[in-house]
Structures are given as structure tokens and as C-alpha cells.
Amino acid sequence: MSEKLLLRFEDVSTDLSDIDNYVSDGGYETARAALRDRSPGEIVEAVKDSGLRGRGGAGFPTGLKWTFVPKGTGKPVYLLCNADESEPGTFKDRQILEHDPHQLIESMIISAYAIGCIDAYIYIRGEFSTGYETLCRAVADAYAKGFLGKGIFGGDTEVNIHVHRGAGAYICGEETGLIESIEGKRAHPRNKPPFPAVYGVFGCPTIVNNVETLSCVKHIIERGADWFKSIGPESGPGPKLYGVSGHVKKPGVFELPMGTSLRELIEVHAGGLRDGRKLKAVIPGGSSVPVLRADEIDINMDFDSVAKAGSMLGSAGVIVMDDSTDMVAVLRRISHFYHHESCGQCTPCREGTGWLEKILARIEEGHGTPADLEKLDSVAKSMMGTTVCVLSDAAAMPVRSFLDKFRDEFTAAVSGASGRGGESARAVA
Amino acid sequence: MTADRLAGGLYRKRGVPAESVPEMSEEQNKDGGAVEFGAEALVAYEEILTHYPERRAALMPVLWLAQHEFGWLSPQVLSYVSDLMELPLGWVEGVATFYTMFYKRPMGKYHLQVCTNISCYLRGADDILGALRRQLGIAPGETTPDAKFSLDRAEWLGSCGTAPMLQIGDKQYVENLTVEKVIDLVAKLERGEEV
Ligand SMILES: Cc1cc2nc3c(=O)[nH]c(=O)nc-3n(C[C@H](O)[C@H](O)[C@H](O)COP(=O)(O)O)c2cc1C
Ligand code: FES
């Protein structure tokens, strides 16, 4: 796939965040035509037919999710765009938010029309100040052109977009945490069911979709479901944004067909490892997913293939580690993060994440014992499937997989002769 | 309400650690001046309300507005927001303490937050933090005596492709850092230059 769609801004010479440039490039024509020529039901069908699966982490079929909105409740329907981009290793949505926000807005107009939503929100993480400002300007410009508000494109559809800025809390990426946050609360995830499609924000039917997921909608409507299906595997096709970071020569976000091989991503697109270094480990989908060893990277990066290899595509944030990496130190960072970010409402997660970090700190600083490894494993096990949301599982999965895949390193670290300690060990204390 | 309760108590889990919240004093209050929105901020406040079907939902954007107006969310500021929005004070405190970007203590003019999460760590975030500690003479969580710089670790800033990096306040990202670059950055900020 040589032509870029989601990252079109890389291919054109003008600044697409400027509405006039975006319009000259053919922008908003797809939304205009869709609202004029197609019924909401036809759009839902097209998205369903395209096989688009959610890019936020879980890979749920988007069209199917949209059909869960109950009809005739008399309540408003809300569309929430998840721009929290909070999973460590993920920095893909930011590209769209900062460089091509109108692609997202146009897609949201079509999506809102399809599900019968008048008021849509974009929840953007507080840290993305540039993205926030760009987005606010883009939304204002779209109103000024009559692409948002009442009677858009001269028809009788009304769609409003509100931009809601987060303020630093990972858990707001979880869809029900995000909903609570928009309602002006602490972002404590809700028990499901009821699912947001039935009982979401302000007690109304709500669809939550990721930035990249929604951005695909415009292209599906423009080029057709068959075109979309022709890219990548049948079980979850389409163009995909992969973020590669860590010990590679050219870290960045790459738009490639779903199912591109992990080896190609690292060796070709990200320029391979730094000189003189060998690959040690790769986390393929954001820091919460199980780690892969260097000999496990001949896999295709799509939902089902990565799952078959024992990990998850997640948010497709690929973190590459070379042979200089201290796996104990990396795991401690990861555990520190989840401990810091647990919302605190469920005991296994609140206490478990604390224990994981404490034990790993001890091991990294050279005071661990072999019993600590068993403890890590049993604490992690007790955290899975026992809480309101899956942050707890997200914290436990890396621990179990690091212990499993890099057992020798952990065993050596608790052997007493590890020579551990020092400045780096204290850095996250 | 004491600062201690604001920081900890019920909201221990995601609040800032109690010891990092100084007791309120006249000195710190001066920082924000009178705790009341001016005419312009009130217009902004009214505009914010139009985006939500219920007033409570506007709390986060109103807290952002208050932080931009007063510098940080002191107990007085929270109490003002609670009165203005007719929300229980405990509710407003609960939300303010949950989100790390809402300041519960006065910050230096430049709040430097170094991302120390995994991708930044792999590319040398500890060296960057170390250089800043030496250069500024403060540890994370502290502010320089001249109130110019505050230093913190950040958990994940969504910028792994340009790691290591830091954020200044709630605004600018500075990316692809090296130790030389960060020392240069501090020097520029000292001189009040654009970065
Ligand atoms: C702890 C946690 C954090 C999450 N963070 C994000 C996030 O930052 N961005 C996102 O789009 N989805 C995130 N998700 C997934 C959302 O809950 C939700 O599934 C997604 O936004 C749905 O959109 P999609 O179907 O388009 O993928 C997170 C889930 C969990 C459990
Ligand atoms: S329910 Fe609180 S972090 Fe999952």
C-alpha cells in the first residue's frame, strides 16, 4: 500500500490541519455526499461489511457495536471519540489529531449521522496541548463553514462536536472511565453490563470509538467496503497505524496494511536496531500486552495472528528492546506505571499493583529472593479477572510474561550475586 | 479544610502524597490574588456550560479554567468553584485530586516533567532527569527557591517516537532530548527566551 490515507499529511505539501487546504484536497466531500445520498442504515451496513475492528485495543467490530444502540428510547445518542491515547508505547492517534484533525471530524460527522447522534465529544488527553488546540481550531473552522451545527451541508442533519480535555489519568482511556470523566467525576470504571451502547454517558446510549477507528470511516464510505476488505487479512482488514519506539534507528508511526510482519516493521520501516546491537525483546501492542522474545517476531501484526502467538495487537504500539536491556528494570517501570494509574476502587488492583512494584523494586535493587519470583507470579494471578475493569489484568500480564520468557534473568537477579543497585535502580522509587 | 485532607484522606489512592502539599499560607495565596473569576473568565465559564447537558459535567473544564486563572487549585480556589457550580466541596476536591495535571501545590514558572516511562527509559530518560536534577539543584517533586522551575517525573506522555522527552507545564513538548539539549533548554528558560 503505497498511498497513505490516515497519514495523508505526510504525502501532501500543504498543512491539512488548515480547513481550506483540507477542502481543496477534496475534504468534506465524502461527508456531504453521504448525508445527501445514503441513509444512516446504509452507512452502518457499509461499516459492518468492511470488517473494521476497533483500533483502541480490543479489536471489537465497529459496525456491530453501532447496531447495539437501542432504537426508539427517546433518549439522545452520544458518540464519544476516545483520544486519550494512554497506553504506554502508543503515539499514533496524536498524528491524526495534530496533523489531520479534519479527517477525524469528517469521519465523526458520518458516524454520528449513522447512529443518530447530535452531540459528539472528543475526549483528548490533557497532555496533548498541541493536539487540543489544533482540534479546537479545526472544530471552530468546521462550524464556520457550516459543516457542523444545525442543517449541515445545507441539509437537515445536526451534528455538534465538543472537545473535552482530560487532565492526566490513564484510566480515562477505558471507555467507562472516560464516560465518568466526561460527567465530571473521578474516572472510576463502571461494571458492565449494562454496556455503554445501552447506558452510557448521561445515562444515554453511547458509542465509544478510538480516533483511528473513526478516521477509517470516511475512507470506507468513500472507497467502499470491498476496497477496505482487500487490505490485509479478512478477519480484520484495513490500513493500520503502527508506532515503533525503543531501541530502533528510526522510531515513528507507520501506516501499513493490517497484518504487516513484525520483523518487517522493525527491520525495514523502523530502520532496524542501533548499530552493534542485537534484538532481545519486543512488546507488540502497548505496555500491557505479553512480551515476545527475539525469536518470536516472525508474525503478522493483525488481531488474530498476534493473539495466536500468545500476545495481543492492542494499540499496535511496538516497543523494541536490544541486548543491552535489563528486563527486571523494564518490568519495574511498567509495574510502577500501573500502580500509579490504578483508580483504586478494586482491592486486587489497588493492592496488587502496589505489591508488584514493591517486589520488583526489591529485586532490581539486589535484595530479592527466589521466593519473590513465586510471589510475583501469585500476586499477578490473583489480579486477573477479579476487578471492574481490565487495568488489573493489564498490570498482571506483563509480569507473568516477563517471568515466563526471561526467567533466567529474573533468577539471576535474585541469586544474591547479581551486583544490582545504584542510581538507575532508585530512579523510579 | 486542611491541605492534608485535600491531598490525602479519602482520596489517598490517586491524590498527591500528603508530604508534597505545603500548608496554605498568606504567601501562597498572594500567588493567585483574589479568588474570583474576572469578567473574561466568567464569559468563558458560561461558554463552557453550553457544551454539557448538566452542569456537573463542566467541572473538569472549569477546573482547567481556574488553574489557568489562579496558577494552581488551592483550597480557596476549589471552594470558589464549588460555590460557583453549586457542587459539594468534597466532590470538587475529589475530582481535582484524581487527575495529576490539576496542581494541588503552587508550581514554578516552568514545570518540567520528564517522561520516565518505558520507551523514554530505553532511550535515556534517566540521564535527562539526572542532568536536570544537577542543573536545577532540586529533586522531582520540588521547586527552585526562586520559584522559576519545578521538576517532576511524568508517567507517559504519548511521545515515544521522539523519546526521550519532557513537557513544560500543560503546554509544550520538547522532544528528542539529549543531556546537552536539556542543559541548553534550562539556560534559555533562565534567560526568558522562547524554546
Ligand atoms: C485500562 C484501559 C485503557 C484504555 N486506553 C485506551 C486509550 O487510550 N485509547 C483507546 O482508544 N482505547 C483505550 N482503551 C479501550 C477502550 O476501553 C475502548 O475499548 C475503545 O476506546 C473502543 O474503541 P474502538 O472499538 O474503536 O477500539 C482502554 C482500555 C482499558 C481497559
Ligand atoms: S476499576 Fe479501577 S482501575 Fe480498573
Side-chain angles (χ1 to χ4, degrees), chain A residues 88-89 94 121 125 127 129 162 164-168 181 184-186 245-247 333 336 339 341 427, chain B residues 13-14 51-52 56 60 64 91 94 99-101 117 119 122-123 126 153 155-156 159 167 170-171 175:
Chain A
R94 182 177 163 208
Y121 289 84
R125 67 175 314 181
E127 291 86 348
S129 53
H162 312 277
H164 184 100
R165 185 178 187 189
S181 185
K185 304 179 188 163
R186 296 160 71 80
S245 66
H247 293 148
R333 300 272 156 162
H336 171 75
H339 179 214
E341 298 297 336
Chain B
K13 180 58 206 143
R14 279 199 54 95
H51 292 281
Y52 301 91
R56 186 185 60 194
M60 282 179 72
W64 270 121
W91 187 280
Y99 299 94
T100 50
M101 292 185 77
N117 209 305
S119 303
L122 291 172
R123 296 181 78 92
D126 289 355
R153 283 190 189 91
E155 281 304 331
W156 197 249
S159 195
Q167 181 173 29
D170 69 357
K171 292 249 175 311
E175 301 167 56

Side-chain angles (χ1 to χ4, degrees), chain A residues 171 174 187-190 341-346 349 387-392:
Chain A
I171 198 59
E174 199 279 339
H188 284 175
R190 298 177 180 173
E341 298 297 336
S342 167
C343 84
Q345 81 175 326
C346 317
C349 175
T387 50
V388 167
C389 84
V390 298
L391 183 143
S392 189

Side-chain angles (χ1 to χ4, degrees), chain A residues 400-429:
Chain A
R400 299 192 65 191
S401 78
F402 271 61
L403 282 176
D404 178 38
K405 299 258 163 92
F406 297 94
R407 190 82 195 180
D408 292 353
E409 221 170 297
F410 283 84
T411 310
V414 295
S415 72
S418 61
R420 288 181 163 273
E423 167 68 18
S424 96
R426 279 192 301 274
V428 290

Side-chain angles (χ1 to χ4, degrees), chain B residues 24 34 57 92 127 134 136 142 161 190 195:
Chain B
M24 282 301 302
V92 175
D127 297 339
R134 280 190 302 277
L136 300 173
E142 293 177 355
E190 285 275 13
V195 291

Side-chain angles (χ1 to χ4, degrees), chain A residues 54-56 65 82 84-86 170 173-175 208-210 213 390:
Chain A
R55 309 305 201 221
K65 189 191 272 187
N82 190 341
D84 195 53
E85 186 130 275
S86 53
Y170 165 68
E174 199 279 339
E175 58 187 11
V208 184
N209 276 132
N210 170 261
T213 312
V390 298

